[in-house]
Structure formats: C-alpha cells, structure tokens
C-alpha cells in the first residue's frame, strides 16, 4: 500500500515473514465478527495460498503460501480487496466495539419535560416543608433516618438516579454521574440533611430539563421535516365505504384511497384504479409515470391525476419517520468520539471524588467536608452539555431542512478535508435542456427540424427526449402527426411523418441506418467541445440537424464550492458515470481539483477508499439513490436535494432535503461551531468544578453550597450549548 495511513481501517503492514509464511496486521481484522470464517475461506480459495488464519484479538492474519514469486504488496493488495467488500459492516462493528466500554448513563430521551417538571415541583414542595418544619429536639442520624416518611419520599423521588448509579457499578463495574449523585443524596439523608439532598436533586433535574426539552424540540423538528404523507387518509371499511382516519390508525393490510393532488402516505400495492404519479422524490425520474393494479407505490410520491386504492405494506414503526427518529436518538454506533472521550474522561475522574472524600475525612474527621467531594463531579456537566449541544445542532439543522442521523456525523463532518461530488442531480440539476441547435439542411427551418425530432420522441420518457419536447413546447411548435414510434435500444428512435422516415439518436444509430455524418464534423466538434450531449436528427437517408443537450449546473453550486474552500476543504473531486468530455467541462467550469468519468457505482466506492487510504476525511455528496455505495463508504455521505426516501435516508448520513447546495458549507460551519461549543463547555465544567473542589476540601464551602456551585456550572454549560438553537444558517 502506498504511504502510511495507520488510522485507516484497511491499512496493512507486514509484522513478520519467512519463506512461505507471512503475518500481516490490519486494524480491520479486529472487527470482522461473524465474517471471520467467511473471509478465511475466501483467502484460501486462492491457488497459491495453502492456509489463512485470522486472529481477531491481535488483528493479524497468518498466511502460508507456496509461490515464491508472490510479493508482500501482492498479498496486502489481495487482503485489502477482499476486506473492501465488507468495509461498511467492519466500520459498524468498530463503532459498536468502541462504545462497549462507555459509561452507562440514563437515556434522557426516555423522560418527558412534563415528568421532570412534576418531579421538580414535588421536590420543591418537599424542600419548602423541610425549611419551615420544626427541627426535632434530638435529631436522628444514621440508618434510622432512612425509615421516616419524609426521607422515604425523598428516596422515591431520587429512585431513577440511585437505580442507575448502583446499576452502573453492578453491570459495568464503573461509576457514573448518577453514582456520585446517589452517594451524595444518601449521605445527606443519613446525616439528616434532607434540604441538601433535595437541593442537589432540584438543580440536577433543572439541568436535565433543559437538555430533554432540546431533545423534544429536535424530535418535533425532524417529524415536521420528514413528513412523507398526509396526516389523515381515506380508509376503505369492511362494508366498502370510505372513512377519514389518522395515518397512525392505518395497519398493514388496510386499504386506503388516494385521489388526484394528494400525497401517498404508505408504501403498498395498487389494488384498484390507475394513476399518473410523480415519483421524482424516489427515483429521480423527471417525468411522472403511470401506475396500474399490482404495481408498487411509495410514501412521499404525489398523484398528478387518477384515483387509486392501495393496500398498505409499510406502516407505523416501519415508516421512514419512526425509523429515522429512532436512529437519530438511539443508534449505539452513532455516538461522537468527543462524547466517548468526555464519558471516559469524566468516568476516570469519578473515583477521584471518592478518593478525595476519603482523604478529606481522614484528615479532618469532618463528614460535611468529605461530602463536598461527593456532590461535585465533572461528568454531569460534560454529559449534559454535550448531549444538549448535539441535540441543539440537530434541531437547528432539521429546522433548515437538514437531517443529521447522529452526533458522530456532526463531529466527523467538522474534520472533513475532501469533498466528492456526483455530477447528475448534484452539481447539475438533473433536468437536461436543449442548449445548441445546428441546422444542416437549409431547405428546412430550425423549428421544422425540431418538430420532426419531437415527433420521434413524443412517446418517450427518456430525459433527453423530455429536453427536446420541452424546447418544442416553449417555442409553441406543433408536433406533426406520425406513425407508431420504434425504439432501437441504446441507439435511438424512428417514426414516419408524411411518408418520410425520421430518425433521432446517436452517431452509431445513424451509421447503422446508412446515414453519413461526415458533413457535420465541425458542428459536432463545436457541440461536444461545450460538453453537451449530441443528438442526431435525420430525414430519410439525410442528416438534417444536430441538437446539443446540456444538464445545467445547479444555482449557487459555484458559490458552494468557493465557500467549501473557505471552510478548510483542501480537495474537491468530481466522480461521475457521464462521458469524459462532459465531466471535463463541468470540472473546468466549477474549478474542481480532479475528476473521474464513466464510473460504475462500485468504481466510485473504490475511489473513495483510495482517498481514505491516504488519510483523507471524505465527504461524498450525491443523490442518495444511485450513489448509495459511495455514500456508505465515505466518512460522511450527504444526500442533496428532495430525495426523501427510504433508500436515500438509509444510504446517507446527512440528508439535505432542500435543493440548495449552499447548505453543504453551512452544515459544516454548524458542525465546527458545535465542536467549539463543546470544548468551551469542557473548559468551563472542569475549571468551575475544580475551584469548588478546592473550596470544599478546605472547608470554606459547606456541602450544600458546593452542590449549588456544581449544579449552577452544569446549568451554565447546558445554557451555552442551547445557544446553538439560535445559530443562523446562511443560504
């Protein structure tokens, strides 16, 4: 492999070799999981490999081979090519494995703001009761304190915190933020300090309330953005009548009626009727298509004309909205590295709190000073502020039509240094239009030549045909009567107009039909030189004209590329399946650093892996459907445009639902602001809590004031994170 790139999963190096035996090390070999045996078998299928044994523990493979002409580079290249096929699953396994040692924290999204407010109100009332109640003549301390009604109510309110704190110790053998909080609460109660315990609870609940409120707003913003159908649909009842019901009430197998102008709300099969349906949000097809009984239809598509009855196949949790929201909130492998770092860092400091408490008590014999060490911890502020920051960023993005699947993608895109663009539908509009017309038969007018071309293309739904038909409509040209059109696959179309045969297609189609193209050399060179798609038009045996069709660049795409360079992107690459000339023209016009043309989807994926092998953090921007392999292989896959479909959502890590490429540099700017905010939170949480620890250890601050300072710092950093809700995306 050329150059070192130790951080890349597929990087391989030889650690030991003797004649006929070699040991190769690769990080990816640690994360094969169930693929291990399958890959060993594949390696052993090679004729010169006698045996291959993979060790997931050491991340090495030992290969015995019998061909002395095989080089180290040959073996490494073969191993990398074999692993390439499974790279997506290997990436996923790595993320899951790296999160196994993360501290177990309560899932904040499982609590609603209303539930937290109720707990705060109950704790507040109890705190007021304890403030104004008369102190007993002989206060009871120790275990007996836990058995009176007042204390039992406090314990019941703190039950989730205590349960999680003790559960983390039992299940994970590690303390977490709730371990410290529960220790401080129980210690306070044993000492008869109910007011201290309740103050700790109220302040922590308030910080959590801010975070949970942000998460709730984020869920709402995502639901609004991902709404792929109507809120209410017409359901066919058992007696054959139709009834208006909420979409949530539709079950698999139910039948719904959808009429002209309505959006389809379920994935299913047409059981009755016929309709002309706009499927551009799913397939990218420019023209609507006719759908009949027995054919599939998809949520998010629009009926242009017709009425159909659909038998629902995907409803409820299977629908896009439910799956994506669940993924955004809960996917284990979607946790940002900075969150993992924060969890591990704060988890390592939690035992320090217990150690300090022991040291302070041993030195002073003062339980109050020792308790101050337990009510202050770093993890609470760091955990809540990172969760709030990422949730606020996802919320802000969603309100602007950008779906970010997880916090790790925010951090990952902030580190991007290479952007790869697909061409059709990404840099260009994906809606070809006629750009150049060259008339070769002077006995005809330009409009007549176009009318002949439109006659041949009238029944076609090919994008190039649509471009010609649109040009004819805009010019107000009447399409002449013609016979049935005959399609010659991958060549062109022919028809008959007024006893003349009209052919429209490519150069090969003309040559196979015996029509010379020699007299069009200069005009052909001019059109191709502009990067346009060349279409030949012939009448009988004579070439009468050339049409140049272009797919124009998206509005603002040039400004987008300029802004991306301003965001620190070092390299911008174009990967496309289009012809060399078209790719070169677009790359030149957009000032793109390099390009590759005539690529298959798997070729794009290989190009991405080659860039990653050099240590580049790659962002792939495509349409989310044809570019699914490339979107999956990139560090970050971004689907640009109105492709709000299952395929697009699952292939891309970030989906921009608006047709505005300027949102790409804006989401990078948002991600960098988010990471900067989290780092500010780290500094504030560590600084303030360290100061409070020193004051608590010296006895200057009682435990209750230490708790107030600690929780106020948590509220401060959470508040700093919530500023991201007001972040403005310029587009």
């Amino acid at each position: 492999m050329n150059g070192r790139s130790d951080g890349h999963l597929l990087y391989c190096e030889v650690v030991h070799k003797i004649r006929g035996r070699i040991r190769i090390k690769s990080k990816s070999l640690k994360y094969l999981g169930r693929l291990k045996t399958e890959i060993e078998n594949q390696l052993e299928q090679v004729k010169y490999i006698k045996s291959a044994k993979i060790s997931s523990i050491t991340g090495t493979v030992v290969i015995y081979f019998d061909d002395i002409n095989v080089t180290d580079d040959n073996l490494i290249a073969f191993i990398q090519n074999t692993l390439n096929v499974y790279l997506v699953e290997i990436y996923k396994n790595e993320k899951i494995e790296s999160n196994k040692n993360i501290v177990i924290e309560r899932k904040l999204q499982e609590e609603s703001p209303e539930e937290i407010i109720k707990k705060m109100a109950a704790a507040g009332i109890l705190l007021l009761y304890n403030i104004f109640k008369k102190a007993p003549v002989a206060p009871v301390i120790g275990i007996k304190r836990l058995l009176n009604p007042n204390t039992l109510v406090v314990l019941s309110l703190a039950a989730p915190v205590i349960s999680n704190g003790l559960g983390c110790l039992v299940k994970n053998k590690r303390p977490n933020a709730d371990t410290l909080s529960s220790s401080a609460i129980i210690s306070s109660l044993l000492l008869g300090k109910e007011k201290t315990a309740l103050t700790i609870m109220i302040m922590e609940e308030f910080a959590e309330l801010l975070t949970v409120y942000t998460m709730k707003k984020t869920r709402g913003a995502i639901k609004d953005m991902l709404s792929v159908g109507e809120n209410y649909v017409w359901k066919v009842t058992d007696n054959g009548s139709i009834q208006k019901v909420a979409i949530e009430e539709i079950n698999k197998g139910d039948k719904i009626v959808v009429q002209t102008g309505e959006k389809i709300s379920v994935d299913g099969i047409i059981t009755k009727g016929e309709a002309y349906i706009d499927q551009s949000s799913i397939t990218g097809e420019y023209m609507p298509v006719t759908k009949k009984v027995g054919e599939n239809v998809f949520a998010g598509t629009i009926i242009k004309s017709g009425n159909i009855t659909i038998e629902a196949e995907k409803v409820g949790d299977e629908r896009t909205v439910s799956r994506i929201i669940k993924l955004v909130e809960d996917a284990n492998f979607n946790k940002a590295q900075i969150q993992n770092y924060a969890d591990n860092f704060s988890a390592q400091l939690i035992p320090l709190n217990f150690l300090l408490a022991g040291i302070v008590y041993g030195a002073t014999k003062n339980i109050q000073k020792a308790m101050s060490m337990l009510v202050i911890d770093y993890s609470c502020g760091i955990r809540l502020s990172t969760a709030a920051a990422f949730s606020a960023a996802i919320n802000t993005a969603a309100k602007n039509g950008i779906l970010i699947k997880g916090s790790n993608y925010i951090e990952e895109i902030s580190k991007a240094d290479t952007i790869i663009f697909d061409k059709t539908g990404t840099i260009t509009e994906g809606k070809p239009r006629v750009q150049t017309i060259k008339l070769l038969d002077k006995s005809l007018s330009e409009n007549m030549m176009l009318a002949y071309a439109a006659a041949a293309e009238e029944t076609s739904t090919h994008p190039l045909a649509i471009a010609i038909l649109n040009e004819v409509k805009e010019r107000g040209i009447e399409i002449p009567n013609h016979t049935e059109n005959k399609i010659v696959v991958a060549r062109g179309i022919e028809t008959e107009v007024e006893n003349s045969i009209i052919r429209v297609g490519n150069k090969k189609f003309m040559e196979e039909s015996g029509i010379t193209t020699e007299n069009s050399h200069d005009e052909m060179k001019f059109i191709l030189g502009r990067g346009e798609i060349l279409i030949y038009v012939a009448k009988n045996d004579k070439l009468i004209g050339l049409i140049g069709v272009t797919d124009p660049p998206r509005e603002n795409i040039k400004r987008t590329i300029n802004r991306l360079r301003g965001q620190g992107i070092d390299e911008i690459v174009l990967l496309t399946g289009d012809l060399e000339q078209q790719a070169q023209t677009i790359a030149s016009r957009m000032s793109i650093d390099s390009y590759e043309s005539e690529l298959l989807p798997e070729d794009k994926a290989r190009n991405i892996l080659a860039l990653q092998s050099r240590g580049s953090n790659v962002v792939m921007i495509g349409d989310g459907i044809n570019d699914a392999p490339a979107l999956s292989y990139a560090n970050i896959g971004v689907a640009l445009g109105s492709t709000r479909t299952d395929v697009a959502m699952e292939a891309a890590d970030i989906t921009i639902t608006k047709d505005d490429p300027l949102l790409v540099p804006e989401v990078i700017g948002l991600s960098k602001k988010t990471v900067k905010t989290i780092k500010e939170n780290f500094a504030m949480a560590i600084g303030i809590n360290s100061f409070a620890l020193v004051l608590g250890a010296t006895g200057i601050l009682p435990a209750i004031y230490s708790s107030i300072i600690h929780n106020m710092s948590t509220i401060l950093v959470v508040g700093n994170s919530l500023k991201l809700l007001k972040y403005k995306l310029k587009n």
Side-chain angles (χ1 to χ4, degrees):
M1 188 171 176
N2 298 325
R4 286 186 65 82
S5 182
D6 304 52
H8 182 13
L9 268 180
L10 293 187
Y11 173 76
C12 294
E13 62 179 340
V14 177
V15 293
H16 181 265
K17 66 176 180 177
I18 58 175
R19 185 180 179 87
R21 180 186 182 276
I22 190 170
R23 182 185 291 272
I24 296 173
K25 185 175 184 178
S26 175
K27 185 180 177 183
S28 60
L29 297 174
K30 294 182 178 181
Y31 307 109
L32 299 181
R34 60 181 179 81
L35 301 172
K36 178 184 166 184
T37 304
E38 184 178 338
I39 292 174
E40 285 176 340
N41 291 337
Q42 283 194 30
L43 294 175
E44 290 173 353
Q45 295 299 314
V46 179
K47 62 180 181 180
Y48 59 77
I49 294 179
K50 292 192 288 186
S51 72
K53 197 67 179 175
I54 296 171
S55 171
S56 299
I57 298 173
T58 60
T60 60
V61 56
V62 177
I63 296 175
Y64 288 89
F65 58 98
D66 55 13
D67 188 341
I68 60 173
N69 294 319
V70 175
T71 66
D72 297 353
D73 288 341
N74 292 149
L75 288 166
I76 285 174
F78 176 62
I79 290 170
Q80 287 175 333
N81 289 334
T82 303
L83 294 173
N84 263 346
V85 180
Y86 306 99
L87 188 59
V88 174
E89 188 161 351
I90 292 171
Y91 267 128
K92 186 181 292 187
N93 290 342
E94 183 204 21
K95 294 296 183 185
I96 294 172
E97 190 66 30
S98 65
N99 284 336
K100 280 187 178 178
N101 294 322
I102 301 307
V103 183
I104 299 172
E105 300 286 5
R106 277 177 297 128
K107 293 180 180 179
L108 297 176
Q109 67 264 26
E110 291 178 354
E111 290 189 279
S112 68
E114 293 76 16
E115 289 172 339
I116 295 177
I117 290 171
K118 287 177 183 177
K119 287 197 290 185
M120 284 178 63
I125 293 169
L126 202 56
L127 178 60
L128 289 174
Y129 167 76
N130 279 278
I131 290 172
F132 293 109
K133 77 170 184 177
K134 290 183 180 180
V137 178
V140 179
I141 60 172
I143 292 296
K144 291 182 179 179
R145 285 289 310 169
L146 299 179
L147 301 178
N148 71 74
N150 183 33
T151 307
L152 289 173
V153 174
V154 176
L155 284 172
S156 67
L157 290 174
V161 175
I162 295 171
S163 174
N164 183 259
L166 296 177
C168 186
L169 280 175
V170 173
K171 295 177 186 176
N172 213 29
K173 305 297 187 289
R174 301 173 72 181
N176 63 2
D178 285 344
T179 308
L180 269 182
S181 298
S182 56
S183 299
I185 290 168
I186 293 171
S187 300
S188 300
L189 294 176
L190 288 171
L191 293 169
K193 303 287 184 181
E194 286 91 348
K195 288 180 282 189
T196 301
L198 289 164
T199 303
I200 294 170
M201 290 166 56
I202 291 171
M203 300 290 280
E204 287 190 353
E205 291 288 353
F206 182 67
E208 290 192 6
L209 174 64
L210 294 177
T211 306
V212 171
Y213 172 72
T214 309
M215 289 181 172
K216 184 178 180 182
K217 286 192 68 174
T218 300
R219 285 197 294 273
I222 294 171
K223 280 182 180 177
D224 291 342
M225 182 182 65
L226 296 182
S227 178
V228 293
E230 310 289 348
N231 291 325
Y232 293 90
V233 295
W234 293 99
K235 176 183 175 181
V236 180
T237 62
D238 294 338
N239 60 11
S241 62
I242 60 173
Q243 179 183 3
K244 190 175 184 180
V245 299
I247 183 62
E248 290 81 9
E249 295 179 25
I250 297 297
N251 298 311
K252 185 175 181 179
D254 286 348
K255 293 182 179 179
I256 64 171
V257 175
V258 191
Q259 303 175 6
T260 300
E262 293 181 343
K263 189 180 285 188
I264 296 173
S265 302
V266 297
D267 289 358
I269 297 177
I270 298 177
T271 59
K272 182 180 179 182
E274 182 177 322
Y276 201 43
I277 300 176
D278 179 357
Q279 295 193 135
S280 58
S281 63
I282 292 181
T283 63
E285 291 175 283
Y286 179 52
M287 289 293 291
V289 296
T290 301
K291 289 282 188 175
K292 302 176 181 178
V293 172
E295 294 187 295
N296 290 310
V297 291
F298 306 97
T301 56
I302 300 171
I303 296 186
K304 290 295 186 182
S305 65
N307 300 321
I308 55 175
T309 300
I310 304 167
E311 182 177 326
E313 289 190 326
K314 287 187 179 180
V315 296
D317 289 342
E318 293 182 353
R319 296 175 74 237
T320 301
V321 173
S322 299
R323 292 209 313 274
I324 298 301
I325 290 175
K326 177 72 172 172
L327 182 62
V328 170
E329 289 183 339
D330 219 23
N332 287 329
F333 55 91
N334 280 1
K335 207 170 191 182
Q337 287 183 10
I338 199 166
Q339 281 181 288
N340 294 343
Y341 170 78
D343 286 346
N344 282 318
F345 174 75
S346 55
Q348 290 166 7
L349 290 176
I350 289 172
L352 179 63
N353 289 85
F354 287 104
L355 180 62
L356 286 174
I359 292 171
V360 170
Y361 182 74
T364 65
K365 303 301 180 186
N366 187 322
I367 193 68
Q368 295 292 339
K369 291 181 181 180
M371 273 184 56
S372 295
M373 302 298 98
L374 295 179
V375 298
I376 298 169
D377 74 278
Y378 298 95
S379 60
C380 187
I382 291 173
R383 176 175 71 98
L384 292 178
S385 65
T386 51
F390 283 124
S391 186
I394 292 172
N395 178 288
T396 298
K399 287 189 293 187
N400 287 274
I402 304 167
L403 173 69
I404 303 175
K405 279 187 181 177
S407 57
N408 64 321
Y409 302 123
I410 295 176
E411 184 185 23
E412 195 71 30
I413 200 170
S414 73
K415 299 184 292 186
D417 54 29
T418 302
I419 299 280
I420 295 177
F421 281 99
D422 174 47
K423 175 182 168 288
T424 306
T426 304
I427 285 184
T428 63
E429 292 179 356
K431 299 175 183 178
R433 63 182 67 167
V434 172
Q435 187 72 22
T436 305
I437 299 172
K438 293 290 183 181
L439 187 65
L440 302 177
D441 185 343
K442 302 305 179 183
S443 67
L444 298 173
S445 67
E446 192 174 274
N447 282 1
M448 180 55 69
M449 188 269 286
L450 281 173
Y452 283 143
E457 301 281 19
E458 188 173 23
T459 59
S460 174
T461 58
H462 192 281
L464 297 181
I466 300 302
I468 293 172
L469 293 171
N470 283 340
E471 181 70 18
V472 166
K473 288 177 187 175
E474 290 172 8
R475 293 186 177 215
I477 300 172
E478 184 178 350
I479 299 175
N481 294 327
H482 56 89
T483 60
E484 185 178 349
N485 296 350
K486 177 184 176 184
I487 298 173
V488 181
V489 178
R491 296 291 190 272
I493 299 179
E494 69 175 55
T495 191
E496 190 174 320
V497 178
E498 298 172 347
N499 298 320
S500 296
I501 296 175
I502 305 298
R503 295 181 179 90
V504 179
N506 57 25
K507 186 177 181 179
K508 186 168 284 188
F509 184 41
M510 297 296 129
E511 292 172 346
E512 290 175 353
S513 301
I515 300 169
T516 181
T517 60
E518 294 298 322
N519 62 331
S520 65
H521 181 73
D522 291 340
E523 290 85 355
M524 178 186 71
K525 190 174 179 181
F526 174 79
I527 292 173
L528 291 176
R530 297 178 59 174
E532 297 172 16
I533 301 169
L534 181 58
I535 300 173
Y536 294 81
V537 183
K539 181 180 180 182
N540 293 323
D541 297 328
K542 183 180 179 182
L543 193 65
I544 61 173
L546 301 175
I547 300 173
V549 176
T550 185
D551 188 2
R554 279 179 182 267
E555 185 181 0
N556 291 326
I557 192 67
K558 179 68 173 175
R559 290 172 63 197
T560 296
I561 291 172
N562 291 338
R563 288 190 188 180
L564 285 171
R565 297 196 189 279
Q567 291 281 13
I569 302 301
D570 297 327
E571 188 172 7
I572 297 178
V573 180
L574 172 66
L575 299 181
T576 179
D578 280 351
L579 299 173
E580 164 83 14
Q581 185 62 50
Q582 297 168 41
Q584 184 183 47
T585 302
I586 285 291
S588 176
R589 288 176 64 183
M590 297 297 115
S591 301
I592 288 172
D593 298 316
S594 61
Y595 70 90
E596 293 282 345
S597 58
E598 301 179 44
L599 299 176
L600 296 172
E602 54 266 32
D603 297 326
K604 293 182 183 180
R606 276 194 287 271
N607 274 271
I608 287 171
L609 290 169
L611 287 166
Q612 289 173 328
S613 70
R614 304 200 313 245
S616 299
N617 287 305
V618 181
V619 174
M620 171 71 196
I621 303 174
D623 60 20
I625 299 171
N626 299 327
D627 298 306
L631 289 168
S632 298
Y633 275 56
N635 296 81
I636 294 292
V638 178
L640 176 63
S642 54
T643 52
R644 291 185 288 171
T645 68
D646 288 0
V647 176
M649 292 292 185
E650 289 168 12
D653 306 311
I654 297 173
T655 299
I656 298 174
T657 60
K658 295 181 180 179
D659 288 313
D660 186 358
L662 286 173
L663 288 173
V664 175
E666 287 306 307
V667 80
I668 294 177
L670 172 63
S671 69
K672 290 187 174 182
K673 177 66 175 176
T674 304
V675 172
K676 181 183 177 184
T677 299
I678 290 170
K679 290 178 178 177
E680 290 172 354
N681 292 341
F682 282 6
M684 284 191 288
I686 291 169
I688 294 171
N689 284 296
S690 296
F691 179 67
L693 273 175
V694 172
L695 293 183
T698 56
I700 297 174
L701 275 184
I704 189 169
Y705 294 114
S706 296
S707 172
I708 290 173
I709 289 179
H710 159 63
N711 285 292
M712 286 302 294
S713 73
T714 300
I715 293 169
L716 176 66
V717 294
V718 170
N720 187 49
S721 297
L722 297 189
K723 290 192 299 184
L724 291 166
L725 289 171
K726 302 298 181 184
Y727 183 88
K728 299 294 182 185
L729 273 67
K730 308 169 200 170
N731 50 348

